[in-house]
Amino acid sequence: MTTRFSTGRYKASGHPNAYEAVNEMFDSAADRLNMDPQLRSILKTPFREVTVAVPVRMDSGKIHVYAGFRVQHNGARGPWKGGIRYHPQVDLDEVRALASLMTWKTALLDVPFGGAKGGVSCDPMNMSMTELERLTRKFTARIALVLGPQRDVPAPDLGTDGQVMAWMMDEYSSRRGYTPAIVTGKPVTLGGSLGRKAATGRGVVTIADSYYTAMGQSLKGKTCAVQGFGNVGSFTAQFWAERGGKVVAITDVKGGVYNAKGLDVPALSKFFDEKRTIAGFPGAEPMNNQDLFSLPVDCLIPAALGDVITPDNCVHIKAPLVIEGANHPTMPEADEDLHERGVVVIPDILANAGGVTVSYFEWTQNLTQFYWDEEKVNRELDVKMRRAFMDVHELARKEKCSYRTAAFMQAIKRVGEAETQRGN
Ligand code: NAD
């Protein structure tokens, strides 16, 4: 099928894969910076890519061999940093793209890390806890050579959580001695930071608040629709409502809910804790993903999967503001369309950077063995997020470009300087 987006610039499907999409964003910012071609190719190329086989004995007694990946993209500004994703669609291209995004995200927030990402192609929703533990331990053992508190520090992502980080920490520590700084996003009892669990959602709402403040408006009374009710989506909804906004719709993998008057988010969370889905929540109408994207809300927040805002559905988006809670939720052609239509998109590398920022605080606390109270964590997070927003906002105004291009420009400039200063 030919669409107005079929430009022939992508190899396979006519649409970019995740890695091509991130490189396209990089190139458009690097063009504006007039970046030297040699530095450009250094910055675009991942430093190291590790692929491992992960054989796991399943509860049935049979062995299943999973594919595991860790990509270290750029480490010029500090140890590699990035989450571990468990999802059936994990592949090397996606992990590369996400690793690259981490390089730009850590630079944009000015936390002293490089960018990495890892993942295992598996379906955690259909695995038992014992299978997940065996998978995590085997995967950790097989990538342990390239990890380390001063080398590469994983964190949770889609399909992984504090428990998975606890197993990774234990597996690594059983070889090298007690090493809490090997992962972030751990349970607080094992050296995790207060405030880390909520940090990404808190950051998303801080960015929304910063945006409305910069526009001379307020978040109070603003409506939003959120895709995803996992770590990012649930805390985003909670903080949006706590700041006086109205969350009118949320979807997850099993369904969704809508209430024009605003959903009761604490009651929804309670319902989710019991049912493991939000579908069927009383006091709300059913909602699907397609309709969620076309709701006439003030702000649309994708907080689940990548590539969900496509050339096909972007034309139906009525929200004037999109805040990317998920990583790369917007395909480049859709991004162009939204920009042309005047829809403001606040990019993932800024909007969802609260998680890695508090991961930095956690790593710092682990290295010093001196722990902060939650108020200090949230205060420092607020300062870093608002500063990064203003950097991007001012650059976007100066360059007359999108927030995404401005965010990439700022980040690429910082990494480029570090790379050049370190020399070859
Ligand atoms: P999670 O596993 O906790 O939650 C994922 C949510 O997405 C769940 O509610 C799930 O039901 C929903 N979902 C899955 N498939 C869906 C579908 N087809 N339609 C609608 N909903 C669907 O994951 P998370 O940690 O909240 O991460 C979500 C996104 O945010 C990912 O893109 C991740 O890379 C990104 N992110 C996470 C963090 C973090 O700190 N956890 C930080 C930065 C970015």
Side-chain angles (χ1 to χ4, degrees), residues 144-163:
L145 267 178
V146 298
L147 301 182
Q150 305 295 345
R151 186 177 290 267
D152 184 351
V153 184
D157 190 65
L158 197 73
T160 59
D161 58 11
Q163 178 59 74

Side-chain angles (χ1 to χ4, degrees), residues 1-281:
M1 189 180 79
T2 311
T3 72
R4 68 196 178 94
F5 294 103
S6 300
T7 57
R9 59 186 166 176
Y10 310 117
K11 278 182 241 140
S13 61
H15 295 304
N17 65 35
Y19 190 51
E20 287 171 329
V22 173
N23 277 341
E24 193 163 319
M25 293 162 195
F26 173 95
D27 279 331
S28 103
D31 286 348
R32 276 185 184 254
L33 289 168
N34 276 327
M35 181 168 272
D36 166 63
Q38 292 173 58
L39 181 57
R40 201 187 271 233
S41 55
I42 291 174
L43 295 186
K44 268 168 89 168
T45 315
F47 175 88
R48 181 190 279 140
E49 301 183 344
V50 180
T51 301
V52 290
V54 191
V56 178
R57 190 170 296 283
M58 309 306 283
D59 294 344
S60 65
K62 292 207 171 112
I63 289 180
H64 187 94
V65 184
Y66 293 94
F69 310 95
R70 185 72 181 167
V71 173
Q72 296 168 336
H73 181 261
N74 186 290
R77 297 182 64 263
W80 289 285
K81 185 90 192 77
I84 301 284
R85 176 172 287 203
Y86 287 175
H87 192 272
Q89 275 157 21
V90 164
D91 62 21
L92 193 51
D93 264 329
E94 183 185 61
V95 176
R96 265 189 202 128
L98 294 165
S100 167
L101 283 178
M102 285 305 294
T103 298
W104 316 127
K105 194 181 297 183
T106 52
L108 184 60
L109 267 288
D110 203 14
V111 294
F113 288 127
K117 204 78 180 191
V120 178
S121 175
C122 65
D123 184 2
M125 302 252 282
N126 288 312
M127 292 172 75
S128 69
M129 284 297 271
T130 49
E131 287 170 342
L132 279 174
E133 179 173 354
R134 286 195 289 269
L135 171 82
T136 301
R137 289 187 183 279
K138 189 59 75 79
F139 177 56
T140 307
R142 297 209 163 182
I143 62 167
L145 267 178
V146 298
L147 301 182
Q150 305 295 345
R151 186 177 290 267
D152 184 351
V153 184
D157 190 65
L158 197 73
T160 59
D161 58 11
Q163 178 59 74
V164 172
M165 293 306 109
W167 292 325
M168 288 193 86
M169 192 271 256
D170 183 68
E171 191 64 29
Y172 188 90
S173 296
S174 70
R175 289 172 164 70
R176 314 280 172 102
Y178 177 62
T179 320
I182 185 59
V183 286
T184 58
K186 299 177 291 291
V188 173
T189 40
L190 294 177
S193 178
L194 293 168
R196 171 61 184 88
K197 203 170 165 198
T200 307
R202 185 182 287 280
V204 168
V205 177
T206 304
I207 291 297
D209 190 54
S210 307
Y211 172 79
Y212 286 127
T213 305
M215 296 295 132
Q217 301 174 26
S218 162
L219 195 153
K220 209 163 176 219
K222 293 277 188 305
T223 55
C224 80
V226 184
Q227 185 191 38
F229 200 67
N231 176 281
V232 182
S234 63
F235 283 109
T236 296
Q238 178 189 323
F239 294 124
W240 191 279
E242 278 177 16
R243 279 184 197 253
K246 258 201 282 184
V247 184
V248 297
I250 307 180
T251 51
D252 72 10
V253 70
K254 294 187 183 150
V257 285
Y258 170 76
N259 185 333
K261 293 196 190 117
L263 295 159
D264 179 347
V265 179
L268 186 63
S269 296
K270 219 167 149 239
F271 181 87
F272 177 86
D273 288 344
E274 282 165 25
K275 312 271 183 198
R276 307 314 296 164
T277 178
I278 52 172
F281 174 64

Side-chain angles (χ1 to χ4, degrees), residues 316-327:
H316 304 298
I317 289 177
K318 297 190 187 76
L321 175 68
V322 175
I323 301 188
E324 296 185 336
N327 282 315

